[in-house]
Amino acid sequence: MKICLLSYRGNPYCGGQGIYITYLAKELVKQGHEVHVIAGPPYPEKIDGVIMHKIDNRNYFNNKNNFIDRDNPFASLRIPDIYEFIAAKIGIFPEMETFSIRAFLKIRELLRKFSFDIIHDNQCLGYGFLLLKNLGIPIISTIHHPLTIDRSTWFEFPSSFMIKMKRILYYPLIMHKYMANKMEKIITVSYDSAQQINKDFNVPMEKIRVIYNGMDSDIFYPLKNIKKKKNSIIFVGNVEDRKKGIIYLLKAISKTKNRVNLTIVDGGAPNRSFVPKWIDKFGINDRVHFTGKIPLERLIKLYSETEIAVTPSLYEGFGFPAAEAMACEVPVIAAEGGALPEVVGDHMKTGYLVPLRDSAALAEAIDFLLDNPKMRKDIGKAARRRILTIFTWEKASKEMVEVYRNVINAYSRF
Amino acid sequence: MPRARSWGFIAVLFSLILGSIFVHSVFITDTGINNFNSSDLSSINNYTYYAVAIPLGIISLFLTGTGFWIGYTILTIKVVPPMPEIADKKDNSKIKAFILCIAALVLGILFLYGICIKNFWALAIPAAFITLVILGSIFWIGIAIITTRSTLNGKNAGKQS
């Protein structure tokens, strides 16, 4: 099968989307398919056997000052670029829309040389895909979770009227809702996310297929001969992403009986604005340590050194950090947000589940697991077994190929 | 980069001159119809008038509609209240959102009414918005080209060292 994967951000270290595209492409190649990846920056690393096509963007939304390309200073005045520039300055996040237009142009160019049986988009859902539909190739999309969640969790936190206005403009919800209904099939990564897509985007359930993400248990595994640091807990994720629920964890730390030390693995200092204030407010400055961006090897070592991982998210479409910790045999305390109960599994067997937004329950769970080393060990081992059984990329890609075949067959009938 | 820089200056000058001509012609020059009175364009043929008025009207409605939609969303979004430790007691977003909704609604109706009675300002204001946004962007990009530091390429760097 000739498969074209699209991802407006392709790097595996920029979030779940990059991980998804990298592993899916690898597994599809292993199965003998011809795989093309069309990706925007940050670009994915080279994947053996995958034909990579890079699409440019100026990233005007994030590059406030140095946005001029020195090699091509007038690029900013070209049609998609000037739109991207104006939209970004107004506060709209144009990356998805412009990627979809550029992807259409790229695919049209590639069709002179290659042919594709199916196009699989990775949560871009830009209007440009309406043009793609005219090429006579079925197009499906993966929605990890609807962005309606991001917007509503943002509004849970106090912010000024201007910021609220910007947040409403920022999320391309109208485009996503419209485009999700135009796709031949929607793939999502959990049953909870499927229900949310159905509710928020009105996509019929029969059009949605759940395929769980995988976890690379050859990379994420418990390191031997590493001593656990006493009363250590770890949080992995973007602290400024409101749906990650870090504030509930910080409050819980101020309430635990045991004096715990929290390590936060996040994107680095420039991405922190609210969290340091909250740490001050809860008086836990001496117990919270930020690592910033770290290499994968160090993250795995950190998991092995840590007694408990906490995922207090208000919502997760899947929850890679929880799955990573589980693969490393670290017991996970997770809030019942979105797909986390699906990933973490049985309470007190493969993980520890607490109600949403409940810092007292989080504090109680932390104390309970810190006081019960045997329970921690048992949960950690059962967690890894769960990951090895249910969440593998091989399984995910086989299910994906089955979806591709069904979509192609249904499409060719018309 | 020096050549690019000179083009940056040209972009800045081009946008400034065109912007000034536009503002002067529309808002300052006394042509008898732009004196903020309810001046009409009734002498223009209907087809000609609506060929211009309809696209500008759509843009006006799109902009005021976006304003209304933003206000309405802030007003009606249902979320869990923030925890007391971080709650902002002076949050008056809902009041501001309500004002935004009303203002957008009134403006939208005024634009439509203005187009129906062939009022000059119902066309001039959206036209000014589009023109100034585009020229403003060209100006901004021009400034960025001028102020972006040039780097020596590898060949020149070798000569320098």
Side-chain angles (χ1 to χ4, degrees), chain A residues 124-143:
Chain A
C124 173
L125 293 164
Y127 287 127
F129 294 164
L130 290 173
L131 301 167
L132 268 185
K133 282 178 80 72
N134 292 328
L135 298 176
I137 305 165
I139 172 164
I140 65 169
S141 188
T142 294
I143 301 179

Side-chain angles (χ1 to χ4, degrees), chain B:
Chain B
M1 196 67 185
R3 189 157 170 239
R5 227 174 151 189
S6 61
W7 280 104
F9 279 111
I10 291 172
V12 167
L13 282 174
F14 168 81
S15 53
L16 273 179
I17 292 168
L18 277 189
S20 309
I21 291 171
F22 181 87
V23 171
H24 188 264
S25 310
V26 175
F27 297 103
I28 299 167
T29 308
D30 184 11
T31 57
I33 57 166
N34 56 355
N35 50 3
F36 292 92
N37 291 325
S38 177
S39 42
D40 64 64
L41 303 169
S42 50
S43 56
I44 300 174
N45 173 297
N46 266 354
Y47 288 109
T48 313
Y49 173 75
Y50 283 110
V52 177
I54 289 172
L56 288 173
I58 290 170
I59 289 162
S60 306
L61 285 184
F62 175 75
L63 293 174
T64 52
T66 304
F68 182 83
W69 167 67
I70 291 171
Y72 184 77
T73 309
I74 296 174
L75 209 56
T76 54
I77 197 163
K78 283 179 187 142
V79 291
V80 177
M83 61 164 67
E85 284 88 342
I86 58 162
D88 182 4
K89 291 187 182 86
K90 289 175 196 163
D91 185 13
N92 51 10
S93 300
K94 298 262 177 193
I95 299 165
K96 287 179 181 169
F98 181 73
I99 295 167
L100 179 63
C101 279
I102 297 293
L105 205 64
V106 170
L107 268 178
I109 292 167
L110 275 179
F111 275 123
L112 274 185
Y113 178 70
I115 285 171
C116 289
I117 62 163
K118 294 189 176 179
N119 185 284
F120 172 74
W121 295 106
L123 304 186
I125 292 171
F129 179 84
I130 301 162
T131 311
L132 295 179
V133 163
I134 293 172
L135 290 177
S137 299
I138 294 171
F139 176 82
W140 198 335
I141 290 167
I143 290 283
I145 292 173
I146 295 166
T147 54
T148 299
R149 276 193 189 175
S150 65
T151 48
L152 291 169
N153 60 33
K155 209 174 160 186
N156 290 343
K159 276 181 195 168
Q160 290 275 319
S161 60

Side-chain angles (χ1 to χ4, degrees), chain A residues 60 64-70 73-74 76-77 82 85-86 89-90 151-153 155-161 164-165 168-169 171 173-174 247-248 251 278 281-282 357 359, chain B residues 1 3-4 7-8 11 66 69-70 73-74 77-88 91 93-94 96-97 100 133-134 136-138 140-141 144-145 148-151:
Chain A
Y60 294 117
K64 304 285 181 211
N65 300 315
N66 297 321
F67 57 83
I68 295 294
D69 179 355
R70 285 169 186 169
F74 305 108
S76 306
L77 294 170
I82 193 125
F85 179 80
I86 293 172
K89 293 301 162 202
I90 293 169
R151 191 178 74 178
S152 59
T153 48
F155 272 73
E156 274 188 37
F157 292 81
S159 55
S160 68
F161 181 67
K164 281 178 180 154
M165 277 178 50
I168 290 170
L169 278 175
Y171 294 112
L173 297 184
I174 296 172
I247 190 162
Y248 298 96
K251 191 174 175 187
W278 294 340
K281 195 153 201 158
F282 294 122
R357 302 179 183 88
S359 49
Chain B
M1 196 67 185
R3 189 157 170 239
W7 280 104
T66 304
W69 167 67
I70 291 171
T73 309
I74 296 174
I77 197 163
K78 283 179 187 142
V79 291
V80 177
M83 61 164 67
E85 284 88 342
I86 58 162
D88 182 4
D91 185 13
S93 300
K94 298 262 177 193
K96 287 179 181 169
L100 179 63
V133 163
I134 293 172
S137 299
I138 294 171
W140 198 335
I141 290 167
I145 292 173
T148 299
R149 276 193 189 175
S150 65
T151 48

Side-chain angles (χ1 to χ4, degrees), chain A residues 122-388:
Chain A
N122 186 19
Q123 189 132 1
C124 173
L125 293 164
Y127 287 127
F129 294 164
L130 290 173
L131 301 167
L132 268 185
K133 282 178 80 72
N134 292 328
L135 298 176
I137 305 165
I139 172 164
I140 65 169
S141 188
T142 294
I143 301 179
H144 297 266
H145 68 265
L147 292 180
T148 43
I149 300 287
D150 298 70
R151 191 178 74 178
S152 59
T153 48
W154 182 273
F155 272 73
E156 274 188 37
F157 292 81
S159 55
S160 68
F161 181 67
M162 274 307 283
I163 289 177
K164 281 178 180 154
M165 277 178 50
K166 281 184 181 174
R167 280 288 129 182
I168 290 170
L169 278 175
Y170 177 83
Y171 294 112
L173 297 184
I174 296 172
M175 179 175 81
H176 273 196
K177 186 175 178 177
Y178 181 73
M179 291 306 298
N181 284 287
K182 291 279 171 194
M183 298 286 121
E184 310 299 329
K185 195 95 186 165
I186 294 293
I187 309 287
T188 191
V189 293
S190 66
Y191 288 94
D192 189 90
S193 191
Q195 281 168 0
Q196 206 66 45
I197 292 165
N198 170 255
K199 189 177 146 221
D200 293 352
F201 290 166
N202 295 336
V203 179
M205 281 306 271
E206 55 272 18
K207 209 177 176 183
I208 306 172
R209 169 75 189 263
V210 176
I211 297 177
Y212 282 130
N213 283 335
M215 177 49 53
D216 191 340
S217 45
D218 292 335
I219 289 182
F220 289 95
Y221 64 94
L223 298 178
K224 286 176 183 167
N225 304 323
I226 301 269
K227 209 180 162 212
K228 297 268 185 198
K229 286 181 184 161
K230 198 172 161 46
N231 292 348
S232 55
I233 60 176
I234 187 169
F235 168 93
V236 179
N238 176 5
V239 288
E240 291 297 317
D241 183 344
R242 308 299 170 93
K243 71 177 182 301
K244 298 288 177 191
I246 181 81
I247 190 162
Y248 298 96
L249 175 59
L250 298 175
K251 191 174 175 187
I253 287 172
S254 70
K255 287 180 173 177
T256 52
K257 282 182 279 168
N258 293 290
R259 190 183 162 79
V260 298
N261 291 305
L262 169 66
T263 301
I264 295 177
V265 182
D266 66 345
N271 302 320
R272 295 175 207 133
S273 60
F274 292 96
V275 170
K277 289 177 207 157
W278 294 340
I279 291 171
D280 275 346
K281 195 153 201 158
F282 294 122
I284 50 170
N285 273 302
D286 54 338
R287 284 187 272 161
V288 181
H289 164 68
F290 288 94
T291 63
K293 218 169 209 165
I294 53 170
L296 205 57
E297 300 76 38
R298 181 139 177 249
L299 175 64
I300 295 154
K301 190 165 176 269
L302 264 176
Y303 275 130
S304 296
E305 287 172 347
T306 310
E307 294 193 316
I308 302 167
V310 186
T311 313
S313 301
L314 309 181
Y315 190 89
E316 286 287 351
F318 181 75
F320 273 118
E324 286 169 3
M326 288 168 77
C328 293
E329 287 188 5
V330 181
V332 174
I333 298 172
E336 291 166 332
L340 282 173
E342 286 176 63
V343 174
V344 171
D346 297 334
H347 176 57
M348 300 286 265
K349 284 183 185 162
T350 50
Y352 194 115
L353 294 168
V354 295
L356 273 183
R357 302 179 183 88
D358 192 340
S359 49
L362 259 179
E364 202 180 300
I366 292 168
D367 279 328
F368 175 80
L369 283 183
L370 287 177
D371 295 340
N372 290 282
K374 167 119 192 0
M375 178 70 95
R376 281 204 312 267
K377 202 171 175 184
D378 291 347
I379 289 179
K381 291 217 176 288
R384 181 163 167 87
R385 275 198 301 276
R386 180 176 169 79
I387 294 291
L388 294 178

